[in-house]
Amino acid sequence: MPRYEYSEGTSNKFWEIELSGASYVTKWGRIGAGSVSSSTKQHPDAAKAKKEYDKLVQEKLKKGYVLVGGGKAKSATKAKPPETKAASRNAELEKAIVAKPDDADAYLVYADWLQTQGDPRGELIVLQHAGKTKQANALLAKHAEHFLGPFATAKPETWELEWQHGFVRKARIGWPAFEWGMDDDAEGAGPRVADDDDLEWGERAGQQLAMFLRLASAAFVQELELGPLPGDEEMNLGYLAEAIDQVGMPALRKLVLGQIGEWDISGTATAMPASKAVPNLREVTLRGGSPTIGKVELPELRSFRVETGTLNDKELRNIAAAKWPKLERLEIWFGDPNYGASGKPKDIQPILDGTGLGKLQHLGLRNCPFADELVKVLVGSKILKQLKTLDLSMGNLSDRGVQTLVDAKPKLAHLSHLNLDDNALTDASKPRLKGLAKKVEFGSRHSPDRAVARGEDRRWYRFVSVGE
């Protein structure tokens, strides 16, 4: 089997390929590592297989791989120069747009400059600003490689772009949930990236996201929604957060990281991008297991939501210590201690004290495994006085916790909405909640017997809505 090797810097890897009739086998890995990955590709006929075989060999040679055994060395075909002119950039004009990403005039000034550079984006800005959608789409198609680079021909599974004044305003991108059966040519795999053969699928997705964010077209993305990415048993969304950290998104206003169902939460890991990478963020939703929040300083943030079944006490304290003076909505899902969640009311004491939260109007303390204990301290907290809405749904609040709320009725009367849906309440509690707030949502998903026996002593434990 022909063997090719590549050694440069910290890279020290091999790649092998063997052609047999209408199929070929590839093997790759790190030299001396012991582990080898392999893939078999079947084609309709031998001619097609030989064509693809030669193509892959040429790609490796272009990357700097050297034939060391098993075949006759070939020379890499000289790459043709790109037909499309490289995107023009003007840092000062882009800075003005980042400051006011919805100001059409700033884009039109940029359009004038781009047209002097012969960049088709200048024309695209003018067409989209004038509402000439048909002509703008035709221009996008004609210069697809210029505007989208490698994504013009190879896209992730979910690929939805919304354009504004010549640039992507909103992007919704997602990769398949699991890598089983996938290969480089699979639909939804997206474009190839550097060192493709050595990367896990999560790393590939992260590098593809970074590749997209570096496009001139993505300079002013205001809304970004990212879905699952391939993984054997766990989908690590942290690779996507790292990509945002690497490139930076100064115009980003809204981030949704983890478009997954509740059943997927335990099979994921997620993370919050570094504050310096998203300094103008207004709204963020993190959805996934084992969230890493870290230090948060986002002076423009208005809404923060973390949906998980495994929030630990360390990250809970990071949320409580975050600096977001303009925050209006805060929603925290705690989770199930049997799946890694930990924490107590003391870990969110700064929130209960209202520290740095002078604008907060909505507080969601959901999916809480210590709900009865939580409401005891909540009814006496400083933050309660300024809230308009309070969400305690999805936890294990019992009739005992309801009694705590009823006893503190005068402290809750100012609330416009109190949500107690999906807890461990009985129907007997429902009439007792009347007048507790202007609107009380009792809901229909209560399970007073939602308990399981845990541990050697088989003690009964009341569980939350989302954990596993």
Side-chain angles (χ1 to χ4, degrees):
M1 178 177 288
R3 178 183 174 98
Y4 298 81
E5 294 184 357
Y6 178 86
S7 296
E8 183 175 325
T10 59
S11 294
N12 194 32
K13 51 195 177 181
F14 71 90
W15 180 77
E16 299 177 352
I17 187 167
E18 182 174 23
L19 179 65
S20 178
S23 67
Y24 54 77
V25 177
T26 55
K27 297 181 180 180
W28 65 90
R30 298 187 185 279
I31 298 174
S35 61
V36 178
S37 299
S38 65
S39 175
T40 300
K41 190 73 173 181
Q42 184 71 37
H43 290 277
D45 51 56
K48 176 66 173 176
K50 180 63 166 59
K51 181 179 179 181
E52 292 300 314
Y53 170 91
D54 291 339
K55 177 183 176 182
L56 290 175
V57 170
Q58 288 297 317
E59 287 179 353
K60 291 300 178 184
L61 292 171
K62 290 175 187 176
K63 289 183 177 181
Y65 280 77
V66 177
L67 181 68
V68 296
K72 187 176 180 180
K74 301 179 180 181
S75 299
T77 302
K78 186 177 181 181
K80 295 181 180 179
E83 297 179 1
T84 307
K85 185 178 184 291
S88 303
R89 307 291 293 266
N90 185 308
E92 286 301 314
L93 294 178
E94 290 191 4
K95 185 177 179 181
I97 295 176
V98 167
K100 296 181 178 180
D102 288 320
D103 182 5
D105 290 341
Y107 291 92
L108 293 174
V109 171
Y110 203 2
D112 289 341
W113 181 84
L114 287 168
Q115 288 177 321
T116 66
Q117 305 301 308
D119 192 311
R121 192 181 308 280
E123 182 182 357
L124 182 63
I125 294 173
V126 173
L127 290 173
Q128 290 186 336
H129 176 260
K132 297 181 178 180
T133 305
K134 184 177 180 179
Q135 296 94 320
N137 289 343
L139 188 67
L140 279 169
K142 180 180 179 180
H143 298 284
E145 187 175 348
H146 178 82
F147 292 120
L148 294 175
F151 296 96
T153 54
K155 301 175 178 63
E157 184 178 55
T158 301
W159 180 259
E160 299 173 11
L161 304 182
E162 178 184 303
W163 294 76
Q164 172 185 271
H165 307 321
F167 294 87
V168 178
R169 182 189 180 279
K170 179 179 179 179
R172 187 169 182 265
I173 305 172
W175 294 261
F178 301 102
E179 67 178 291
W180 304 324
M182 291 191 64
D183 57 39
D184 293 330
D185 299 321
E187 184 178 353
R192 293 181 63 85
V193 298
D195 299 328
D196 223 27
D197 293 335
D198 292 337
L199 299 178
E200 296 178 3
W201 261 107
E203 292 177 285
R204 294 189 192 191
Q207 289 200 17
Q208 286 178 10
L209 177 60
M211 185 188 300
F212 167 71
L213 296 179
R214 289 190 178 100
L215 294 175
S217 294
F220 312 121
V221 173
Q222 295 184 56
E223 296 185 28
L224 182 63
E225 297 183 10
L226 301 173
L229 66 161
D232 255 339
E233 297 180 354
E234 181 178 272
M235 299 179 288
N236 189 352
L237 302 170
Y239 288 120
L240 305 180
E242 288 178 5
I244 295 173
D245 290 346
Q246 291 171 11
V247 182
M249 300 188 69
L252 190 65
R253 282 359 186 211
K254 178 180 179 181
L255 172 65
V256 179
L257 181 53
Q259 291 281 28
I260 55 178
E262 289 183 2
W263 64 272
D264 282 327
I265 281 184
S266 64
T268 65
T270 191
M272 178 72 187
S275 297
K276 64 181 180 180
V278 287
N280 292 301
L281 200 61
R282 263 60 164 182
E283 180 181 346
V284 60
T285 297
L286 300 180
R287 186 176 179 87
S290 307
T292 300
I293 308 298
K295 184 179 180 181
V296 180
E297 293 187 9
L298 293 170
E300 299 299 326
L301 198 70
R302 269 67 163 182
S303 175
F304 179 84
R305 178 181 179 125
V306 56
E307 302 179 359
T308 183
T310 52
L311 185 62
N312 63 46
D313 56 341
K314 176 185 176 182
E315 301 307 336
L316 197 54
R317 290 192 293 272
N318 282 334
I319 295 173
K323 295 181 180 179
W324 37 37
K326 295 183 181 179
L327 197 71
E328 298 171 358
R329 299 180 61 86
L330 174 61
E331 185 170 308
I332 303 168
W333 293 18
F334 294 87
D336 192 327
N338 290 284
Y339 293 97
S342 59
K344 290 294 181 181
K346 62 181 179 65
D347 296 310
I348 59 168
Q349 193 60 51
I351 295 174
L352 299 175
D353 291 340
T355 305
L357 295 171
K359 301 289 185 179
L360 194 70
Q361 298 180 9
H362 170 82
L363 179 60
L365 301 173
R366 308 177 65 188
N367 205 42
C368 182
F370 49 88
D372 286 348
E373 182 182 353
L374 177 62
V375 294
K376 286 183 179 179
V377 295
L378 182 60
V379 295
S381 68
K382 295 179 181 179
I383 196 67
L384 182 60
K385 301 174 185 178
Q386 72 184 59
L387 298 179
K388 291 184 178 180
T389 54
L390 177 63
D391 191 342
L392 300 175
S393 62
M394 298 172 57
N396 63 5
L397 186 72
S398 71
D399 288 358
R400 186 177 60 181
V402 167
Q403 183 60 53
T404 301
L405 295 174
V406 171
D407 291 342
K409 185 175 180 179
K411 298 180 180 180
L412 302 167
H414 68 286
L415 293 174
S416 62
H417 187 197
L418 173 62
N419 188 358
L420 300 178
D421 186 24
D422 197 10
N423 274 286
L425 304 179
T426 66
D427 288 338
S429 286
K430 187 173 183 178
R432 303 174 64 212
L433 300 175
K434 186 176 181 180
L436 203 59
K438 293 179 176 63
K439 178 182 178 182
V440 180
E441 187 173 344
F442 185 76
S444 59
R445 296 185 294 175
H446 293 285
S447 303
D449 57 346
R450 58 196 287 176
V452 292
R454 299 281 192 189
E456 295 181 359
D457 56 359
R458 307 302 291 169
R459 293 180 61 186
W460 285 96
Y461 157 80
R462 285 185 293 117
F463 56 86
V464 297
S465 179
V466 179
E468 183 177 4

mmCIF file of all heavy atoms in Angstrom, residues 18-52:
data_model
loop_
_atom_site.group_PDB
_atom_site.id
_atom_site.type_symbol
_atom_site.label_atom_id
_atom_site.label_comp_id
_atom_site.label_asym_id
_atom_site.label_seq_id
_atom_site.Cartn_x
_atom_site.Cartn_y
_atom_site.Cartn_z
ATOM 1 N N GLU A 18 -4.788 2.308 -1.031
ATOM 2 C CA GLU A 18 -4.627 1.133 -1.899
ATOM 3 C C GLU A 18 -5.859 1.006 -2.792
ATOM 4 O O GLU A 18 -6.994 0.952 -2.294
ATOM 5 C CB GLU A 18 -4.447 -0.139 -1.082
ATOM 6 C CG GLU A 18 -4.224 -1.375 -1.950
ATOM 7 C CD GLU A 18 -3.905 -2.609 -1.137
ATOM 8 O OE1 GLU A 18 -4.273 -2.639 0.055
ATOM 9 O OE2 GLU A 18 -3.286 -3.538 -1.683
ATOM 10 N N LEU A 19 -5.632 0.970 -4.104
ATOM 11 C CA LEU A 19 -6.697 0.877 -5.093
ATOM 12 C C LEU A 19 -6.893 -0.571 -5.495
ATOM 13 O O LEU A 19 -5.935 -1.292 -5.781
ATOM 14 C CB LEU A 19 -6.335 1.721 -6.324
ATOM 15 C CG LEU A 19 -7.336 1.712 -7.487
ATOM 16 C CD1 LEU A 19 -8.648 2.364 -7.061
ATOM 17 C CD2 LEU A 19 -6.730 2.441 -8.689
ATOM 18 N N SER A 20 -8.169 -1.002 -5.534
ATOM 19 C CA SER A 20 -8.485 -2.371 -5.934
ATOM 20 C C SER A 20 -9.793 -2.368 -6.710
ATOM 21 O O SER A 20 -10.874 -2.292 -6.117
ATOM 22 C CB SER A 20 -8.598 -3.289 -4.714
ATOM 23 O OG SER A 20 -8.962 -4.614 -5.111
ATOM 24 N N GLY A 21 -9.692 -2.415 -8.027
ATOM 25 C CA GLY A 21 -10.899 -2.427 -8.844
ATOM 26 C C GLY A 21 -11.692 -1.142 -8.692
ATOM 27 O O GLY A 21 -11.191 -0.052 -8.934
ATOM 28 N N ALA A 22 -12.938 -1.290 -8.266
ATOM 29 C CA ALA A 22 -13.837 -0.135 -8.142
ATOM 30 C C ALA A 22 -13.845 0.455 -6.737
ATOM 31 O O ALA A 22 -14.749 1.218 -6.387
ATOM 32 C CB ALA A 22 -15.254 -0.547 -8.539
ATOM 33 N N SER A 23 -12.875 0.109 -5.936
ATOM 34 C CA SER A 23 -12.825 0.638 -4.560
ATOM 35 C C SER A 23 -11.393 0.928 -4.156
ATOM 36 O O SER A 23 -10.441 0.474 -4.798
ATOM 37 C CB SER A 23 -13.445 -0.360 -3.578
ATOM 38 O OG SER A 23 -12.654 -1.535 -3.491
ATOM 39 N N TYR A 24 -11.260 1.704 -3.096
ATOM 40 C CA TYR A 24 -9.945 1.921 -2.514
ATOM 41 C C TYR A 24 -10.077 2.026 -0.997
ATOM 42 O O TYR A 24 -11.132 2.371 -0.454
ATOM 43 C CB TYR A 24 -9.250 3.174 -3.079
ATOM 44 C CG TYR A 24 -10.029 4.455 -2.982
ATOM 45 C CD1 TYR A 24 -10.130 5.142 -1.772
ATOM 46 C CD2 TYR A 24 -10.651 5.007 -4.097
ATOM 47 C CE1 TYR A 24 -10.835 6.332 -1.681
ATOM 48 C CE2 TYR A 24 -11.355 6.184 -4.021
ATOM 49 C CZ TYR A 24 -11.449 6.846 -2.812
ATOM 50 O OH TYR A 24 -12.140 8.012 -2.714
ATOM 51 N N VAL A 25 -8.980 1.710 -0.325
ATOM 52 C CA VAL A 25 -8.912 1.751 1.137
ATOM 53 C C VAL A 25 -7.889 2.813 1.529
ATOM 54 O O VAL A 25 -6.781 2.846 0.963
ATOM 55 C CB VAL A 25 -8.501 0.392 1.732
ATOM 56 C CG1 VAL A 25 -8.366 0.495 3.250
ATOM 57 C CG2 VAL A 25 -9.520 -0.676 1.361
ATOM 58 N N THR A 26 -8.248 3.692 2.452
ATOM 59 C CA THR A 26 -7.301 4.671 2.982
ATOM 60 C C THR A 26 -7.082 4.411 4.462
ATOM 61 O O THR A 26 -8.003 4.006 5.185
ATOM 62 C CB THR A 26 -7.805 6.118 2.792
ATOM 63 O OG1 THR A 26 -9.102 6.243 3.375
ATOM 64 C CG2 THR A 26 -7.862 6.480 1.318
ATOM 65 N N LYS A 27 -5.863 4.633 4.913
ATOM 66 C CA LYS A 27 -5.508 4.527 6.327
ATOM 67 C C LYS A 27 -4.691 5.757 6.707
ATOM 68 O O LYS A 27 -3.920 6.260 5.886
ATOM 69 C CB LYS A 27 -4.691 3.257 6.601
ATOM 70 C CG LYS A 27 -5.438 1.967 6.323
ATOM 71 C CD LYS A 27 -4.576 0.747 6.642
ATOM 72 C CE LYS A 27 -5.337 -0.544 6.365
ATOM 73 N NZ LYS A 27 -4.518 -1.743 6.679
ATOM 74 N N TRP A 28 -4.860 6.245 7.939
ATOM 75 C CA TRP A 28 -4.122 7.422 8.370
ATOM 76 C C TRP A 28 -3.970 7.435 9.885
ATOM 77 O O TRP A 28 -4.696 6.748 10.614
ATOM 78 C CB TRP A 28 -4.814 8.694 7.884
ATOM 79 C CG TRP A 28 -6.177 8.920 8.485
ATOM 80 C CD1 TRP A 28 -6.481 9.587 9.620
ATOM 81 C CD2 TRP A 28 -7.434 8.423 7.969
ATOM 82 N NE1 TRP A 28 -7.836 9.577 9.863
ATOM 83 C CE2 TRP A 28 -8.445 8.872 8.855
ATOM 84 C CE3 TRP A 28 -7.806 7.664 6.857
ATOM 85 C CZ2 TRP A 28 -9.793 8.567 8.651
ATOM 86 C CZ3 TRP A 28 -9.131 7.371 6.657
ATOM 87 C CH2 TRP A 28 -10.114 7.819 7.550
ATOM 88 N N GLY A 29 -3.019 8.230 10.340
ATOM 89 C CA GLY A 29 -2.793 8.359 11.780
ATOM 90 C C GLY A 29 -1.499 9.115 12.044
ATOM 91 O O GLY A 29 -0.830 9.589 11.123
ATOM 92 N N ARG A 30 -1.165 9.197 13.305
ATOM 93 C CA ARG A 30 0.102 9.833 13.696
ATOM 94 C C ARG A 30 1.201 8.785 13.730
ATOM 95 O O ARG A 30 1.002 7.689 14.267
ATOM 96 C CB ARG A 30 -0.048 10.510 15.055
ATOM 97 C CG ARG A 30 -1.077 11.628 15.055
ATOM 98 C CD ARG A 30 -1.087 12.380 16.374
ATOM 99 N NE ARG A 30 -2.149 13.370 16.408
ATOM 100 C CZ ARG A 30 -2.067 14.580 15.847
ATOM 101 N NH1 ARG A 30 -0.941 14.926 15.242
ATOM 102 N NH2 ARG A 30 -3.071 15.422 15.894
ATOM 103 N N ILE A 31 2.342 9.147 13.201
ATOM 104 C CA ILE A 31 3.467 8.207 13.148
ATOM 105 C C ILE A 31 3.891 7.834 14.570
ATOM 106 O O ILE A 31 4.150 8.710 15.395
ATOM 107 C CB ILE A 31 4.650 8.814 12.376
ATOM 108 C CG1 ILE A 31 4.239 9.090 10.917
ATOM 109 C CG2 ILE A 31 5.857 7.893 12.422
ATOM 110 C CD1 ILE A 31 5.281 9.824 10.105
ATOM 111 N N GLY A 32 3.937 6.546 14.832
ATOM 112 C CA GLY A 32 4.372 6.060 16.141
ATOM 113 C C GLY A 32 3.288 6.048 17.204
ATOM 114 O O GLY A 32 3.531 5.603 18.321
ATOM 115 N N ALA A 33 2.077 6.524 16.873
ATOM 116 C CA ALA A 33 1.021 6.608 17.888
ATOM 117 C C ALA A 33 0.390 5.255 18.167
ATOM 118 O O ALA A 33 -0.205 5.042 19.225
ATOM 119 C CB ALA A 33 -0.051 7.599 17.458
ATOM 120 N N GLY A 34 0.449 4.328 17.218
ATOM 121 C CA GLY A 34 -0.126 3.007 17.450
ATOM 122 C C GLY A 34 -1.539 2.863 16.913
ATOM 123 O O GLY A 34 -1.919 1.804 16.428
ATOM 124 N N SER A 35 -2.348 3.887 16.971
ATOM 125 C CA SER A 35 -3.723 3.817 16.491
ATOM 126 C C SER A 35 -3.793 4.217 15.020
ATOM 127 O O SER A 35 -3.112 5.154 14.598
ATOM 128 C CB SER A 35 -4.635 4.713 17.320
ATOM 129 O OG SER A 35 -4.217 6.054 17.227
ATOM 130 N N VAL A 36 -4.610 3.492 14.261
ATOM 131 C CA VAL A 36 -4.759 3.734 12.830
ATOM 132 C C VAL A 36 -6.239 3.833 12.501
ATOM 133 O O VAL A 36 -7.031 2.983 12.899
ATOM 134 C CB VAL A 36 -4.108 2.609 11.996
ATOM 135 C CG1 VAL A 36 -4.322 2.856 10.506
ATOM 136 C CG2 VAL A 36 -2.630 2.502 12.308
ATOM 137 N N SER A 37 -6.610 4.865 11.763
ATOM 138 C CA SER A 37 -7.974 5.006 11.275
ATOM 139 C C SER A 37 -8.012 4.560 9.822
ATOM 140 O O SER A 37 -7.025 4.688 9.095
ATOM 141 C CB SER A 37 -8.446 6.452 11.384
ATOM 142 O OG SER A 37 -8.443 6.881 12.725
ATOM 143 N N SER A 38 -9.154 4.018 9.393
ATOM 144 C CA SER A 38 -9.246 3.546 8.018
ATOM 145 C C SER A 38 -10.631 3.798 7.453
ATOM 146 O O SER A 38 -11.602 3.972 8.193
ATOM 147 C CB SER A 38 -8.915 2.055 7.934
ATOM 148 O OG SER A 38 -9.879 1.292 8.638
ATOM 149 N N SER A 39 -10.714 3.803 6.129
ATOM 150 C CA SER A 39 -11.985 4.032 5.447
ATOM 151 C C SER A 39 -11.948 3.326 4.102
ATOM 152 O O SER A 39 -10.910 3.301 3.436
ATOM 153 C CB SER A 39 -12.229 5.531 5.245
ATOM 154 O OG SER A 39 -13.403 5.755 4.489
ATOM 155 N N THR A 40 -13.073 2.723 3.710
ATOM 156 C CA THR A 40 -13.193 2.057 2.415
ATOM 157 C C THR A 40 -14.226 2.803 1.580
ATOM 158 O O THR A 40 -15.320 3.116 2.067
ATOM 159 C CB THR A 40 -13.626 0.595 2.575
ATOM 160 O OG1 THR A 40 -12.653 -0.099 3.363
ATOM 161 C CG2 THR A 40 -13.744 -0.082 1.214
ATOM 162 N N LYS A 41 -13.888 3.101 0.324
ATOM 163 C CA LYS A 41 -14.781 3.841 -0.552
ATOM 164 C C LYS A 41 -15.073 3.001 -1.795
ATOM 165 O O LYS A 41 -14.147 2.578 -2.499
ATOM 166 C CB LYS A 41 -14.144 5.171 -0.956
ATOM 167 C CG LYS A 41 -15.104 6.110 -1.669
ATOM 168 C CD LYS A 41 -16.107 6.709 -0.713
ATOM 169 C CE LYS A 41 -16.951 7.754 -1.386
ATOM 170 N NZ LYS A 41 -17.925 8.366 -0.480
ATOM 171 N N GLN A 42 -16.351 2.738 -2.038
ATOM 172 C CA GLN A 42 -16.774 1.963 -3.196
ATOM 173 C C GLN A 42 -17.327 2.907 -4.260
ATOM 174 O O GLN A 42 -18.121 3.807 -3.962
ATOM 175 C CB GLN A 42 -17.855 0.961 -2.787
ATOM 176 C CG GLN A 42 -18.300 0.021 -3.898
ATOM 177 C CD GLN A 42 -17.247 -1.015 -4.253
ATOM 178 O OE1 GLN A 42 -16.549 -1.519 -3.382
ATOM 179 N NE2 GLN A 42 -17.101 -1.306 -5.546
ATOM 180 N N HIS A 43 -16.939 2.701 -5.521
ATOM 181 C CA HIS A 43 -17.406 3.527 -6.621
ATOM 182 C C HIS A 43 -18.139 2.671 -7.656
ATOM 183 O O HIS A 43 -18.007 1.437 -7.664
ATOM 184 C CB HIS A 43 -16.234 4.256 -7.276
ATOM 185 C CG HIS A 43 -15.645 5.324 -6.406
ATOM 186 N ND1 HIS A 43 -16.172 6.585 -6.314
ATOM 187 C CD2 HIS A 43 -14.579 5.299 -5.558
ATOM 188 C CE1 HIS A 43 -15.471 7.304 -5.456
ATOM 189 N NE2 HIS A 43 -14.498 6.549 -4.982
ATOM 190 N N PRO A 44 -18.890 3.304 -8.560
ATOM 191 C CA PRO A 44 -19.663 2.538 -9.541
ATOM 192 C C PRO A 44 -18.813 1.669 -10.460
ATOM 193 O O PRO A 44 -19.242 0.602 -10.889
ATOM 194 C CB PRO A 44 -20.390 3.626 -10.343
ATOM 195 C CG PRO A 44 -20.451 4.801 -9.422
ATOM 196 C CD PRO A 44 -19.202 4.740 -8.622
ATOM 197 N N ASP A 45 -17.592 2.143 -10.781
ATOM 198 C CA ASP A 45 -16.731 1.368 -11.672
ATOM 199 C C ASP A 45 -15.276 1.691 -11.380
ATOM 200 O O ASP A 45 -14.950 2.621 -10.626
ATOM 201 C CB ASP A 45 -17.053 1.652 -13.143
ATOM 202 C CG ASP A 45 -17.077 3.141 -13.470
ATOM 203 O OD1 ASP A 45 -16.051 3.803 -13.212
ATOM 204 O OD2 ASP A 45 -18.108 3.630 -13.961
ATOM 205 N N ALA A 46 -14.375 0.926 -11.987
ATOM 206 C CA ALA A 46 -12.944 1.080 -11.735
ATOM 207 C C ALA A 46 -12.423 2.430 -12.201
ATOM 208 O O ALA A 46 -11.521 3.017 -11.579
ATOM 209 C CB ALA A 46 -12.174 -0.052 -12.418
ATOM 210 N N ALA A 47 -12.973 2.930 -13.319
ATOM 211 C CA ALA A 47 -12.507 4.213 -13.853
ATOM 212 C C ALA A 47 -12.793 5.348 -12.874
ATOM 213 O O ALA A 47 -11.945 6.224 -12.647
ATOM 214 C CB ALA A 47 -13.186 4.491 -15.197
ATOM 215 N N LYS A 48 -13.987 5.326 -12.297
ATOM 216 C CA LYS A 48 -14.349 6.345 -11.321
ATOM 217 C C LYS A 48 -13.464 6.235 -10.079
ATOM 218 O O LYS A 48 -13.000 7.243 -9.539
ATOM 219 C CB LYS A 48 -15.821 6.187 -10.931
ATOM 220 C CG LYS A 48 -16.299 7.135 -9.843
ATOM 221 C CD LYS A 48 -16.286 8.576 -10.263
ATOM 222 C CE LYS A 48 -16.920 9.453 -9.201
ATOM 223 N NZ LYS A 48 -16.839 10.896 -9.540
ATOM 224 N N ALA A 49 -13.207 5.021 -9.636
ATOM 225 C CA ALA A 49 -12.361 4.813 -8.460
ATOM 226 C C ALA A 49 -10.949 5.322 -8.714
ATOM 227 O O ALA A 49 -10.339 5.961 -7.845
ATOM 228 C CB ALA A 49 -12.324 3.328 -8.092
ATOM 229 N N LYS A 50 -10.415 5.046 -9.928
ATOM 230 C CA LYS A 50 -9.052 5.495 -10.258
ATOM 231 C C LYS A 50 -8.988 7.027 -10.301
ATOM 232 O O LYS A 50 -8.008 7.631 -9.828
ATOM 233 C CB LYS A 50 -8.646 4.935 -11.622
ATOM 234 C CG LYS A 50 -7.240 5.351 -12.071
ATOM 235 C CD LYS A 50 -6.172 4.812 -11.129
ATOM 236 C CE LYS A 50 -4.772 4.910 -11.728
ATOM 237 N NZ LYS A 50 -4.377 6.274 -12.075
ATOM 238 N N LYS A 51 -10.035 7.661 -10.821
ATOM 239 C CA LYS A 51 -10.070 9.114 -10.896
ATOM 240 C C LYS A 51 -10.046 9.724 -9.496
ATOM 241 O O LYS A 51 -9.286 10.674 -9.228
ATOM 242 C CB LYS A 51 -11.321 9.568 -11.639
ATOM 243 C CG LYS A 51 -11.431 11.072 -11.786
ATOM 244 C CD LYS A 51 -12.689 11.450 -12.564
ATOM 245 C CE LYS A 51 -12.817 12.961 -12.697
ATOM 246 N NZ LYS A 51 -14.058 13.349 -13.436
ATOM 247 N N GLU A 52 -10.836 9.184 -8.588
ATOM 248 C CA GLU A 52 -10.877 9.683 -7.215
ATOM 249 C C GLU A 52 -9.585 9.369 -6.475
ATOM 250 O O GLU A 52 -9.107 10.161 -5.662
ATOM 251 C CB GLU A 52 -12.074 9.101 -6.470
ATOM 252 C CG GLU A 52 -13.417 9.591 -6.968
ATOM 253 C CD GLU A 52 -13.551 11.099 -6.853
ATOM 254 O OE1 GLU A 52 -13.197 11.644 -5.790
ATOM 255 O OE2 GLU A 52 -13.972 11.739 -7.835
#
